[in-house]
Structures are given as structure tokens and as C-alpha cells.
Amino acid sequence: MTGVTEESAEARRLRYWGRIEPAHEPDAFAALDSAYRQPHRSYHSWAHIDELLAGLERFGALATRPDLIAAAIFWHDAVHLARDPDGKTRLDRQNVRDSVAAFRRHTTLEGSEAQAVEDLVMATSDHVGARATTEHYPGFAADLDLFVDLDLSPLAAPWEIFAANTQKIRSESVGVEEAEFAANQVKMLEGLARGDAPVFRRAETRAAWDATARVNLARCIAGLRAAGR
């Protein structure tokens, strides 16, 4: 997946934001723009959001509430830090929780719609295990599966892009030793590979991305193991 079409990524981003802007406070986009342009971000930047929006454009017909999926895409990495102020490695789940809190501060959505976006965002803290526990609207569980697939879609990028993304993620892990980074990445990627189980949940995304993602995962895991020795 290249994430690039004839329309520029920025134009797509602004078009999707225009659709969900009424569900946000006036300063919401400025807060997102400041977050995704933080100097330490190499992978978790606007480029990642743009790629997911390109995926939503491609598979949007599968979504019941593409507007809520779009909101989750914009907010799911609003907070991304490698370490806490005390120097401890920051858990991904805490970044996701803080991203949810940022969404809640800036959204005007209420009730089941706001909770649906929160649950979509929280699903990115456990891509394999996340499941819809509440059907906030008919079709929510399927929308959650689609959103998780979109967040994992970079796994199916051409190898050169996949490898570059790994290096970008490495550069964001400030203060993390090479062996620790490699071990953490291998654990995460092996969890996604899961033997013969499909990487992607929806049949349509699986048909488009699964085979390439499996090759990339195997190749990356082997390289990380070698680097961590």
C-alpha cells in the first residue's frame, strides 16, 4: 500500500477533517497539527494518518460509520512518547489512553458516538486481542475490525517502505538500547504474525494485504533477531 493517489495527502486530510470538523471544538485541528508535527515523531506523524485515510478511502464502502472511523484515525496517535518523565519506557497503552483523553477534550460528540470513537482508539493498544464489547451502533464491531486493519495496513507496504518505517519507529524510541528495541519489536511483530492466522480481520483487506504483510513480518523479525544478538 502506497497511501498515495492523484489527490495529495494533505488535500485528502483536509477533506476528511472537513467532514468531521463539526464534531469538534474550534481548536481541535490546531491541537492535532501541533502533535503530529512534534520534532521527535518520525513514523507517528501526519504521514501515518494520511496513509490510514487513504486506506479508509479505498475501503470506506465497508464502513457503517466512516465519520467515526475517520475521527479515530485522526486522534489515535495524538499522544506518542517513548518514555515517561522519570525515564521509564512508556507503555503503548498509556499513549493510547492519553490520546483518548485528548479526543475527549476536543470533541463535541457525546454518548454512544463518543464512546465508539474511544473504543476504536483503544483498540490500537492491542491489535490482536481488541474486540467490540458493546455494539454502540449496528455494525460497530465490523467497523472496529476495519479500523484495526487500517492501522496495520503499513505492514503491507513495499519492503523498502516497511524497512524505512521500522527505522523511523526506532528513531522515536529515544534512550532505548538496540537490544531492548529489537526484543520489543520482535515480540510485537510475532504477536501480529501468529502462525497461520490472518494478519487482517476483514476479508477484503485480508485479500489485499495479508500475503505481503506476512513476507514483511518474517523478514523484519529475522533482521531484528540478528540485530539484537
Side-chain angles (χ1 to χ4, degrees), residues 3 7-17 29 33 37 46 50 53 74:
E7 180 183 33
S8 74
E10 183 176 9
R12 183 189 301 109
R13 182 194 316 160
L14 295 176
R15 175 163 56 82
Y16 270 98
W17 180 256
F29 189 82
D33 194 48
R37 295 185 189 276
W46 273 128
D50 293 337
L53 292 173
F74 274 98

Side-chain angles (χ1 to χ4, degrees), residues 39-125:
H40 75 276
R41 293 184 185 240
S42 184
Y43 176 78
H44 294 92
S45 65
W46 273 128
H48 177 57
I49 304 305
D50 293 337
E51 185 165 22
L52 270 59
L53 292 173
L56 180 58
E57 185 100 314
R58 179 178 179 182
F59 292 105
L62 303 178
T64 300
R65 291 294 303 271
D67 58 324
L68 299 184
I69 294 177
I73 288 173
F74 274 98
W75 287 102
H76 79 287
D77 282 328
V79 176
H80 188 274
L81 298 170
R83 290 191 175 275
D84 286 320
D86 62 4
K88 293 182 179 178
T89 300
R90 188 172 174 85
L91 298 176
D92 287 341
R93 190 170 185 83
Q94 188 58 55
N95 281 329
V96 176
R97 286 195 186 108
D98 288 350
S99 295
V100 166
F103 161 72
R104 288 286 192 174
R105 287 194 300 272
H106 292 284
T107 189
T108 59
L109 292 175
E110 298 178 347
S112 61
E113 290 184 320
Q115 189 60 53
V117 175
E118 177 172 334
D119 286 1
L120 290 172
V121 173
M122 286 305 303
T124 65
S125 67

Side-chain angles (χ1 to χ4, degrees), residues 21 25 92 94-95 109-110 123-124 126-127 130 139 145 150-151 158 162 169 186-187 189 210 217 224 228:
E21 186 174 15
E25 299 289 352
D92 287 341
Q94 188 58 55
N95 281 329
L109 292 175
E110 298 178 347
T124 65
D126 182 10
H127 291 92
D145 287 349
L150 294 176
D151 196 36
F162 184 103
I169 293 169
V186 166
K187 182 178 180 181
L189 295 178
D210 217 76
L217 286 168
L224 287 167

Side-chain angles (χ1 to χ4, degrees), residues 162-184:
F162 184 103
N165 284 342
T166 301
Q167 290 305 310
K168 289 177 181 179
I169 293 169
R170 175 70 184 100
S171 74
E172 291 177 340
S173 302
V174 180
V176 178
E177 295 295 331
E178 190 65 35
E180 180 184 358
F181 172 79
N184 290 340

Side-chain angles (χ1 to χ4, degrees), residues 198-209:
V199 177
F200 298 97
R201 301 179 177 204
R202 299 294 298 265
E204 298 85 353
T205 54
R206 192 158 59 243
W209 296 332

